[in-house]
Amino acid sequence: MDADTAVIGLGAMGSMAAWQLARAGASVIGFEQYGLAHDRGASGGESRLFRMAYHEGSAYVPLLRGARELWRELAELSGLPLLLPTGCLSIGLPDIPPMRNVRASVEEHGLDHEYLAPDELAARFPQHRAADGEIGILDVQGAVLRPELAVLAANQQARRHGARLLERTRVDSVRFEDDRVRIGAGGTEYAVRTVVLAAGPWSASLVPPLDGHLTVRPLVLTWFAPGDAGRYAPERFPAFIRDTDGVHLFGVPMVDGMSVKTGFADAWGDIAGPTAFTRDFDESRLWPVTEAVRRFLPGLHPDPIRYSVYLDAYTSDRTAMVGGLPGTDRAVLLAGFSGHGFKMAPVFGRIAADLALERGTGYDIGAFAPSRFIPR
Ligand SMILES: Cc1cc2nc3c(=O)[nH]c(=O)nc-3n(C[C@H](O)[C@H](O)[C@H](O)COP(=O)(O)OP(=O)(O)OC[C@H]3O[C@@H](n4cnc5c(N)ncnc54)[C@H](O)[C@@H]3O)c2cc1C
């Protein structure tokens, strides 16, 4: 055998899995088709939101707690500023599902938070123009993550524990046999006991049964210059996420010393797959985000100073696939993080390592079962 476990794809999920596998004592071989921390997949763009009070449901909170501990540990081990404690402000009408979920998260799990009634929201965070009746919930443990640094840090830790990580080495084939998995990459065949499949937007080309169950979606990030820089410094302007009249906008304070980053979800449709992806994004298509910034963040100059495009893989229920790949007991699948997986990458990496090495995990991952899409 060339290793106990192979990890295919060293983006957010694969690099965290490689770290957790190697630190648990497994011999690991990892494959990445590009260089580490590249900007063509789901894990580029300088910053990511970390939220504990979760729009997508309070059931995520135990995973988020686990992730937060691992983020802190990785920051300490690497000496890199991976998690910037900015807090995260959710804005919306109190009865919309995301805000109800935020409220359930803080109440059921006793999370540190501040509830801001409409007048308090306006007085405390005048940078945001709220609609009538909108409230704010400040998630005190919310933060900004540094994705490229995090991917590098996790891979560095994996290597420190002996992992062999091959960059610019594309996996072309994965074959399951009774006692091993054969992996073809860069003209060489490798044999391992188990494999973690973490190919992000490329997952369906690697795992054909996923075809039709994952859609690939471009996400555009935009950076806007503030009129008054002091008002958007991380101490005064937390990361934020809001849902107003069908607009889903999120953003990061001025962590680069000159601009506020925003992201606007679901405005650009799906593409046929990563091969159909072009970085030449027509600037005229940015209008949904510039309109949203003009409307909701009036203190920012409404033309972005720059923008760039990334990809993520979505499932139809926007819940990831994390668990054994149906049909074999030699593969763990990490796929379909649907625009909100980065913050949980370390804990999903831990779960993948537990499943690959121990065949079980202490986390409740029933909701993520790949078998809900791929028949056993
Ligand atoms: C613009 C944007 C903003 C986002 N904002 C947030 C946020 O604020 N908070 C949050 O929690 N989440 C956020 N997300 C979601 C999160 O970033 C993604 O869900 C997460 O990064 C997915 O990681 P991944 O490892 O699955 O994919 P990737 O990071 O794309 O990794 C997959 C890797 O596999 C490699 N690969 C694929 N096929 C092969 C092969 N055959 N051989 C070798 N290597 C291969 C790829 O090159 C790639 O490096 C955002 C996503 C985007 C795109």
Side-chain angles (χ1 to χ4, degrees):
M1 292 284 174
D2 292 289
D4 295 326
T5 307
V7 179
I8 304 180
L10 296 172
M13 302 300 158
S15 54
M16 296 293 170
W19 169 36
Q20 294 300 325
L21 284 158
R23 77 161 1 174
S27 60
V28 175
I29 184 162
F31 301 92
E32 170 51 53
Q33 63 182 345
Y34 300 120
L36 296 180
H38 65 87
D39 61 356
R40 300 172 204 207
S43 304
E46 299 172 25
S47 51
R48 289 285 184 275
L49 265 61
F50 180 89
R51 309 174 265 124
M52 290 283 285
Y54 217 51
H55 281 221
E56 292 79 356
S58 59
Y60 280 89
V61 175
L63 287 166
L64 292 159
R65 280 212 165 103
R68 194 163 193 272
E69 261 175 50
L70 289 166
W71 279 119
R72 293 166 84 146
E73 189 184 352
L74 187 59
E76 203 172 304
L77 287 168
S78 63
L80 292 167
L82 302 183
L83 184 85
L84 313 177
T86 59
C88 184
L89 179 65
S90 291
I91 299 175
L93 290 171
D95 55 350
I96 60 173
M99 292 302 275
R100 282 210 301 262
N101 286 337
V102 166
R103 196 141 189 178
S105 301
V106 300
E107 285 171 1
E108 289 167 20
H109 297 276
L111 302 179
D112 257 4
H113 71 285
E114 291 180 46
Y115 178 89
L116 301 168
D119 54 332
E120 293 167 320
L121 175 63
R124 176 94 172 269
F125 296 112
Q127 300 93 328
H128 292 281
R129 189 186 282 143
D132 273 357
E134 283 188 326
I135 58 152
I137 297 178
L138 180 63
D139 172 359
V140 174
Q141 294 181 83
V144 171
L145 297 163
R146 291 301 211 177
E148 292 87 351
L149 291 183
V151 167
L152 290 173
N155 283 309
Q156 185 187 45
Q157 289 305 312
R159 281 187 167 137
R160 202 169 69 81
H161 289 285
R164 187 175 159 211
L165 305 180
L166 306 179
E167 297 170 51
R168 296 181 182 79
T169 306
R170 185 174 191 281
V171 170
D172 299 311
S173 62
V174 181
R175 276 193 353 261
F176 296 102
E177 296 180 356
D178 284 348
D179 63 342
R180 66 192 58 202
V181 187
R182 290 194 191 275
I183 292 170
T188 304
E189 188 163 271
Y190 301 85
V192 295
R193 270 178 244 288
T194 53
V195 61
V196 174
L197 302 160
W202 292 263
S203 295
S205 62
L206 201 64
V207 186
L210 287 176
D211 204 18
H213 299 297
L214 284 179
T215 51
V216 174
R217 195 166 294 180
L219 275 107
V220 184
L221 295 176
T222 33
W223 284 261
F224 293 88
D228 174 355
R231 298 176 78 200
Y232 297 90
E235 309 76 55
R236 292 181 61 190
F237 186 70
F240 69 90
I241 179 164
R242 71 180 291 169
D243 286 279
T244 305
D245 298 338
V247 173
H248 176 77
L249 191 70
F250 57 93
V252 166
M254 216 180 58
V255 292
D256 62 358
M258 64 170 202
S259 64
V260 170
K261 188 187 96 173
T262 66
F264 186 106
D266 301 337
W268 292 282
D270 298 336
I271 57 171
T275 47
F277 177 52
T278 163
R279 319 290 302 276
D280 286 338
F281 192 81
D282 179 357
E283 201 178 324
S284 66
R285 295 175 69 200
L286 289 179
W287 67 266
V289 71
T290 53
E291 267 316 297
V293 165
R294 211 183 289 278
R295 183 170 166 206
F296 298 129
L297 295 160
L300 300 180
H301 181 67
D303 281 319
I305 55 172
R306 68 192 170 94
Y307 62 93
S308 50
V309 192
Y310 305 88
L311 293 176
D312 204 3
Y314 283 69
T315 61
S316 54
D317 60 9
R318 295 191 165 212
T319 303
M321 294 188 224
V322 175
L325 178 70
T328 171
D329 56 0
R330 297 197 171 270
V332 177
L333 182 63
L334 295 174
F337 291 92
S338 305
H340 67 112
F342 192 85
K343 63 185 79 62
M344 292 171 282
V347 79
F348 285 137
R350 164 72 62 85
I351 289 168
D354 289 347
L355 295 175
L357 302 177
E358 320 270 347
R359 315 234 158 180
T361 171
Y363 286 98
D364 180 359
I365 55 167
F368 303 105
S371 57
R372 72 194 196 280
F373 296 111
I374 307 174
R376 285 181 192 282

